[in-house]
Amino acid sequence: MKFNFHCNIFTTVQRSGKNDILAQSHLVDTAMNASAKIRASINSFKISDARWDIYHTPDGKLNDGGEVVGLRGAEAYIDVGPVLRAATESLGSMPRYLLTDCIAGIVLGEIGILKERGYSNLDELEHFWRKNQATSCYRFAHMDRSTQSWSGYIEGNRSWTDYLFNRTKTATIFSDDSGKIKVCGTLADFYHELSILVTLDKGIIVACDGQFLRYPDSSCLECIGRLNALIGKSLNDLTKKELGRYIGGPLGCSHLLDILDHIKLTINQAHKYDNLTQGNGSKQVNKA
């Protein structure tokens, strides 16, 4: 077995002084180092500062960075997608990807700042999500069909400091003599731990399986079987929205979708590395 490429993204959200929170997302892979950050009000989640930086690529060809002025004043919450896309339209996919992870971290870290956000307790926040996001598992398991409450899942095993949320996503591409490419993707955060193993033959998914090690609700386990719907599909041809539709749409798991999207990102990074290093004597990466 040969290891071809690895990509790790670490996202953290923490208090920054009395009035702000700071979300940072850092990418380290075989070809690139990059980061993004968002500073926002701890009460309103209104963004005061957003920035991205790519500070290592082969020969420095893609190194760049800057402020994302279009995000200033936007709320770093679940409906910010259109503003984020418009603000990053000219920047390319990597800054948008990392800034999206920052916002996801802020939403998931909200549990650690209930008082600042205007909630007396976790049950009040859970009531808000049951009312407004009942069919979503962006933050929790599908609350309309869950078997336990979110507060019941984390009660007694979580204390909050200045660090509100941490998450790591990894993906490793490896191959063997069969000519197929395997990619193992994992996600671990304060509330979840899960993994997916995808096998590709000339870019076509020929096997896809997953496993939960930590999960908020038993209903999460139902989502694993939906990964089989991807067999026979070209991973590179599927958008994130299409991937989500194949693995269950509103009934699927957003965290499994995050891993699949990270696997696709890693494969694209491996291709990019291959293209950037051709002819300069660097080690080549097998194409997926």
Side-chain angles (χ1 to χ4, degrees):
M1 182 172 62
K2 177 184 177 183
F3 290 91
N4 302 89
F5 200 91
H6 182 76
C7 180
N8 180 81
I9 294 179
F10 178 68
T11 300
T12 185
V13 182
Q14 63 189 98
R15 295 172 182 267
S16 179
K18 183 178 180 180
N19 300 318
D20 291 340
I21 55 173
L22 177 64
Q24 300 179 80
S25 188
H26 305 281
L27 175 143
V28 179
D29 71 19
T30 306
M32 177 183 288
N33 295 167
S35 295
K37 67 177 182 179
I38 289 177
R39 187 181 301 276
S41 164
I42 200 168
N43 303 115
S44 67
F45 282 178
K46 292 294 179 66
I47 297 171
S48 59
D49 179 47
R51 182 178 177 87
W52 65 279
D53 289 281
I54 297 175
Y55 42 86
H56 171 73
T57 53
D59 297 329
K61 292 180 179 179
L62 300 179
N63 296 4
D64 202 354
E67 304 290 331
V68 188
V69 178
L71 282 177
R72 291 178 186 168
E75 183 186 18
Y77 213 56
I78 52 178
D79 296 324
V80 76
V83 177
L84 176 61
R85 286 191 291 274
T88 58
E89 186 175 7
S90 63
L91 303 180
S93 59
M94 184 59 71
R96 182 185 301 128
Y97 191 98
L98 294 177
L99 289 163
T100 298
D101 270 17
C102 287
I103 291 168
I106 289 172
V107 174
L108 289 159
E110 185 180 26
I111 298 167
I113 48 174
L114 293 175
K115 182 178 179 181
E116 291 86 347
R117 291 287 288 164
Y119 297 103
S120 299
N121 52 52
L122 186 53
D123 288 335
E124 285 189 6
L125 180 60
E126 183 171 344
H127 176 74
F128 170 82
W129 277 79
R130 284 189 181 278
K131 182 179 179 180
N132 295 277
Q133 298 287 328
T135 60
S136 167
C137 77
Y138 185 79
R139 184 205 297 269
F140 311 146
H142 295 283
M143 302 182 76
D144 59 341
R145 55 191 178 92
S146 60
T147 59
Q148 69 174 357
S149 68
W150 180 253
S151 57
Y153 172 60
I154 66 172
E155 188 175 10
N157 66 2
R158 179 73 55 198
S159 60
W160 301 103
T161 64
D162 286 347
Y163 287 91
L164 304 176
F165 183 73
N166 292 329
R167 179 169 71 178
T168 297
K169 294 189 293 186
T170 69
T172 301
I173 303 174
F174 55 97
S175 58
D176 55 27
D177 293 338
S178 71
K180 296 183 177 67
I181 294 294
K182 294 182 183 292
V183 190
C184 180
T186 67
L187 179 151
D189 64 24
F190 277 6
Y191 317 113
H192 315 82
E193 188 174 357
L194 50 158
S195 61
I196 293 177
L197 180 63
V198 178
T199 304
L200 300 110
D201 188 1
K202 298 178 181 178
I204 303 299
I205 299 171
V206 296
C208 188
D209 194 18
Q211 182 179 355
F212 284 91
L213 297 180
R214 289 184 290 117
Y215 48 91
D217 194 81
S218 58
S219 61
C220 300
L221 302 177
E222 301 170 10
C223 300
I224 292 294
R226 296 190 176 97
L227 293 172
N228 289 329
L230 294 172
I231 294 175
K233 307 297 188 299
S234 170
L235 179 59
N236 195 52
D237 290 341
L238 297 175
T239 66
K240 186 175 182 179
K241 185 176 291 188
E242 290 169 337
L243 282 169
R245 189 162 58 244
Y246 276 115
I247 64 171
L251 298 178
C253 171
S254 65
H255 307 291
L256 286 174
L257 178 57
D258 278 342
I259 298 176
L260 286 167
D261 195 46
H262 184 59
I263 285 172
K264 182 178 177 180
L265 169 78
T266 303
I267 292 172
N268 287 338
Q269 285 288 95
H271 280 301
K272 186 183 295 182
Y273 181 46
D274 191 23
N275 292 337
L276 286 173
T277 58
Q278 282 181 359
N280 68 2
S282 299
K283 182 180 178 181
Q284 299 297 297
V285 175
N286 289 351
K287 292 186 178 181

